[in-house]
Amino acid sequence: MFIFGIFFAPYSVNNNKSKFIIMGEVIKLITRAMGSVLGSYFNSDMDVMSDEAKRIFSNDEDRKKYIEAVERLKNTTNQQETITLSNEQTITLVS
């Protein structure tokens, strides 16, 4: 309470209701700031992906081809797998 007393010293009001309103506004501001910090910390995983990976995973057909190619690489002794994307671009995945 001492911290709030120092913080609100210039805004001292005789009415307790006004003090609670001011404290409520400060709590709202702190909550928004915490939400902003936590929101930026726990941001989407898409930010760690390259632009090419974002394009592949944003297209359902390309995403399916990519995942199937990765599964084939995991389940066989092949060292690489080539797929053709929906835009006719070919990429080679290497394990």
Side-chain angles (χ1 to χ4, degrees):
M1 203 59 166
F2 178 71
I3 294 171
F4 286 121
I6 292 171
F7 191 73
F8 293 119
Y11 304 105
S12 61
V13 179
N14 293 334
N15 189 341
N16 281 338
K17 185 176 179 182
S18 296
K19 288 180 184 178
F20 284 116
I21 291 172
I22 292 171
M23 287 175 53
E25 292 299 317
V26 170
I27 290 171
K28 281 184 199 176
L29 291 172
I30 292 171
T31 304
R32 285 185 195 151
M34 288 173 54
S36 176
V37 169
L38 292 174
S40 65
Y41 184 76
F42 295 108
N43 207 356
S44 170
D45 288 342
M46 292 299 284
D47 292 336
V48 298
M49 299 174 89
S50 68
D51 289 339
E52 182 179 15
K54 288 179 187 177
R55 271 195 312 272
I56 291 170
F57 282 98
S58 65
N59 182 310
D60 291 337
E61 180 184 338
D62 292 342
R63 180 176 51 239
K64 182 178 177 184
K65 287 180 183 180
Y66 186 88
I67 292 172
E68 288 173 351
V70 169
E71 289 299 319
R72 284 193 299 271
L73 283 171
K74 286 197 289 187
N75 296 327
T76 64
T77 58
N78 293 345
Q79 295 293 320
Q80 62 184 23
E81 191 73 35
T82 302
I83 59 173
T84 304
L85 301 175
S86 60
N87 63 359
E88 301 303 321
Q89 177 186 5
T90 60
I91 61 171
T92 302
L93 306 172
V94 180
S95 65

